[in-house]
Amino acid sequence: MITSALELQPDDAFWEPLQTSLLQNFLGTRFPHRTLNKDTKPVVTYISRQGGRRSLAAEDHEELVRTLVDLQTEGLCHLEIPKMQELSLKQQIELASQTTVSTCTTSNRCA
């Protein structure tokens, strides 16, 4: 019985009504639904959290940032490297709503 439920494929826009409602209620605005096509660059957001207990070695962090910047320079993405601790909750949600790919070095520090 559970196996058949796990095989279900939700519609690509399954979460869109909830996302729209949350953004509308929290930010007081409605962001357009982001769809990627061949002319749209994905927005990559790297949440570094450097300086905390669980951070990369300085050399590794610098290499990761260089690699991400290279991707942007090659025109493959738009890169954001925010200092999340300096952003308000509203600014963080706005950034997240525009992000296509979010990455960080440790999973529990991404949020």
Side-chain angles (χ1 to χ4, degrees):
M1 180 152 108
I2 192 90
T3 305
S4 61
L6 295 174
E7 293 173 3
L8 294 175
Q9 295 296 318
D11 182 8
D12 289 341
F14 179 80
W15 291 107
E16 187 176 354
L18 178 61
Q19 177 189 26
T20 300
S21 178
L22 287 172
L23 291 173
Q24 177 86 33
N25 290 331
F26 187 80
L27 301 177
T29 186
R30 185 175 186 169
F31 288 97
H33 179 65
R34 287 183 50 83
T35 55
L36 294 178
N37 58 47
K38 64 180 181 172
D39 301 320
T40 305
K41 295 178 189 172
V43 176
V44 176
T45 301
Y46 169 49
I47 303 170
S48 73
R49 305 285 195 194
Q50 282 300 104
R53 293 181 311 192
R54 295 182 182 176
S55 56
L56 292 174
E59 308 82 40
D60 295 335
H61 170 72
E62 291 167 9
E63 180 63 27
L64 177 57
V65 170
R66 265 194 303 278
T67 302
L68 292 170
V69 169
D70 287 347
L71 289 174
Q72 179 172 265
T73 302
E74 293 173 21
L76 298 174
C77 69
H78 173 76
L79 178 62
E80 295 284 343
I81 306 178
K83 293 183 178 178
M84 298 298 271
Q85 65 275 16
E86 296 177 4
L87 299 178
S88 69
L89 180 58
K90 181 177 180 178
Q91 291 170 317
Q92 290 180 35
I93 291 173
E94 287 173 342
L95 177 63
S97 72
Q98 299 301 310
T99 296
T100 312
V101 177
S102 179
T103 187
C104 65
T105 56
T106 59
S107 61
N108 69 336
R109 300 289 302 238
C110 276

